[in-house]
């Protein structure tokens, strides 16, 4: 593109300088999901199927409206929960925060643990993300002898309302997080819990 | 390609991926993962969305790997076709979803020695990408592949299935539009 006018060359130089880097663990995460049989979001069905599906959905919606009223249209909204500060990584300082994006009360879509570097006691762009995962559980490091497992129970971590969720974090002191998961307590300790 | 890609498993049980298929998947991600992510990042406002669509792209590619025929074209072209479809699906779905961006530009590579310079660079990149987002879709595609993925014009032509001369024309036109948009906003 050497024949570009000078003002476009400058713009091109700026665009070439924009380099985004995916998370180093993303590839391993995708392979892990594939090996577990996760096929990702379903693709778009063919047109005829969409028309048939739409007709069926309209019929069901009509029926639903007549029976349940407008409440049938409500679905859990996305909620974000920001809880700071605890010592999640076992480093000794309560300077770690937890950021969760979930469908209220049902499904955790994002979970991130950050170090509250600016002391704002909430997530800001200045903070350092130590751990992030999407819907599926993931393990970011081999478990080492020094790992510290901490359970926090019970708070409303999924935005559903009741304080019925627990958080499990495996930290590698002083500042690494190997794993984090949220689950819903369904009864007294010892009973099976449901992973979010 | 007749790889025994996903061996049959009872319903609900995890798929059994053969070692050679696993190695092929790993190789595909290693060769094309970064380019796909960067292409998507030029289209999407945050790292989380780009990660989601990258994951979706490769999961679909791995799942359909038995249908990939090297005689019909490079794996890169095939994977980018899936990426473009996944992006379209995502954008259609996201029209009815509320976006929540939690990471800013944490995935932006930056050699700036000071936090201030990094911040300024992030702001400039934000302005550039906002201007890219306002381009017509055809121009945006060319810009994302050329500068996001870092492809040369021949590779962009191959992915888009058009002639290299057409890529150059679109690229020039897109850059001129970008320059005009940035000038209209009073930016240098």
């Amino acid at each position: 593109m050497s024949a570009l006018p000078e003002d476009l060359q400058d713009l091109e130089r700026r665009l070439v300088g924009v380099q985004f880097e995916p998370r180093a663990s993303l590839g391993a995460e995708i392979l892990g999901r594939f090996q577990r049989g996760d096929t990702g979001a379903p693709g778009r069905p063919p047109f005829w199927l969409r028309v048939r599906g739409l007709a069926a959905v309209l019929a069901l919606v009509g029926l639903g409206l007549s029976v349940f009223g407008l409440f049938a249209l409500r679905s859990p909204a996305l909620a974000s929960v920001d809880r700071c500060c605890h010592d999640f990584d076992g480093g000794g300082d309560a300077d770690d925060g937890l950021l969760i994006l979930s469908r209220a009360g049902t499904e955790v879509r994002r979970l991130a643990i950050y170090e509250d570097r600016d002391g704002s006691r909430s997530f800001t762009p200045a903070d350092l993300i130590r751990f992030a995962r999407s819907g599926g559980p993931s393990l970011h490091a081999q478990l080492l002898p020094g790992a510290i497992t901490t359970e926090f129970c019970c708070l409303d971590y999924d935005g559903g309302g009741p304080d019925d969720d627990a958080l499990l974090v495996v930290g590698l002191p002083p500042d690494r997080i190997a794993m984090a998961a949220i689950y819903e307590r369904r009864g007294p300790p010892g009973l099976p819990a449901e992973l979010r | 390609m007749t790889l025994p890609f996903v061996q049959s498993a009872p319903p609900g049980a995890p798929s059994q991926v053969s070692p050679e298929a696993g190695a092929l998947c790993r190789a595909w991600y290693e060769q094309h993962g970064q380019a796909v992510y960067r292409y998507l990042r030029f289209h999407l406002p945050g790292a989380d969305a780009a990660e989601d669509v990258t994951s979706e792209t490769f999961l679909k590619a791995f799942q359909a790997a038995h249908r990939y025929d090297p005689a019909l074209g490079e794996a890169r072209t095939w994977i980018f076709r899936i990426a473009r479809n996944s992006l379209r699906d995502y954008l259609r779905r996201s029209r009815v979803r509320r976006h929540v961006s939690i990471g800013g530009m944490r995935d932006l590579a930056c050699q700036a020695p000071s936090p201030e310079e990094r911040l300024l660079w992030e702001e400039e990149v934000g302005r550039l990408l906002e201007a890219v987002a306002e381009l017509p879709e055809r121009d945006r595609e060319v810009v994302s592949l050329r500068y996001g993925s870092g492809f040369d014009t021949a590779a962009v032509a191959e992915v888009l299935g058009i002639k290299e001369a057409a890529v150059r024309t679109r690229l020039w036109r897109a850059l001129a539009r970008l320059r005009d948009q940035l000038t209209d906003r009073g930016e240098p």
Side-chain angles (χ1 to χ4, degrees), chain A residues 7 12 14 20 110 123, chain B residues 38 52 102 124 147 179:
Chain A
D7 56 340
E12 183 172 64
R14 287 157 67 193
F20 290 104
R110 288 272 158 201
F123 179 75
Chain B
R38 289 176 168 177
D52 281 349
I102 60 172
E124 181 175 350
Y147 302 113
R179 177 201 55 201

Side-chain angles (χ1 to χ4, degrees), chain A residues 84-110:
Chain A
C84 191
C85 301
H86 306 280
D87 177 22
F88 288 140
D89 54 22
D93 299 324
D95 60 351
D96 306 310
L98 177 72
L99 196 61
I100 298 156
L101 183 63
S102 69
R103 290 211 174 278
T106 57
E107 171 202 11
V108 171
R109 291 184 55 81
R110 288 272 158 201

Side-chain angles (χ1 to χ4, degrees), chain A residues 28-78:
Chain A
E29 217 171 85
I30 296 170
L31 280 166
R33 285 178 61 185
F34 177 60
Q35 282 166 345
R36 288 197 301 273
D38 185 345
T39 55
R44 198 176 197 198
F47 179 73
W48 64 269
L49 202 58
R50 293 207 304 272
V51 171
R52 244 175 51 173
L54 184 64
V57 166
L58 285 175
L60 278 174
V61 167
L63 184 67
L65 283 176
S66 63
V67 176
F68 299 110
L70 281 173
F71 280 109
L73 287 175
R74 294 177 66 182
S75 62
L78 281 180

Side-chain angles (χ1 to χ4, degrees), chain A residues 11 70-71 93 113 143 167 187 194:
Chain A
L11 181 57
L70 281 173
F71 280 109
D93 299 324
I113 290 179
L143 292 183
L167 169 73
E194 185 179 331

Side-chain angles (χ1 to χ4, degrees), chain B residues 125-146:
Chain B
V125 171
R127 284 193 295 267
L128 278 172
L129 292 187
E130 271 176 30
V132 169
E134 287 175 18
L135 290 174
E137 188 182 347
R138 286 185 352 159
D139 291 354
R140 201 164 60 233
E141 278 294 290
V142 174
V143 168
S144 304
L145 289 166
R146 173 73 183 91

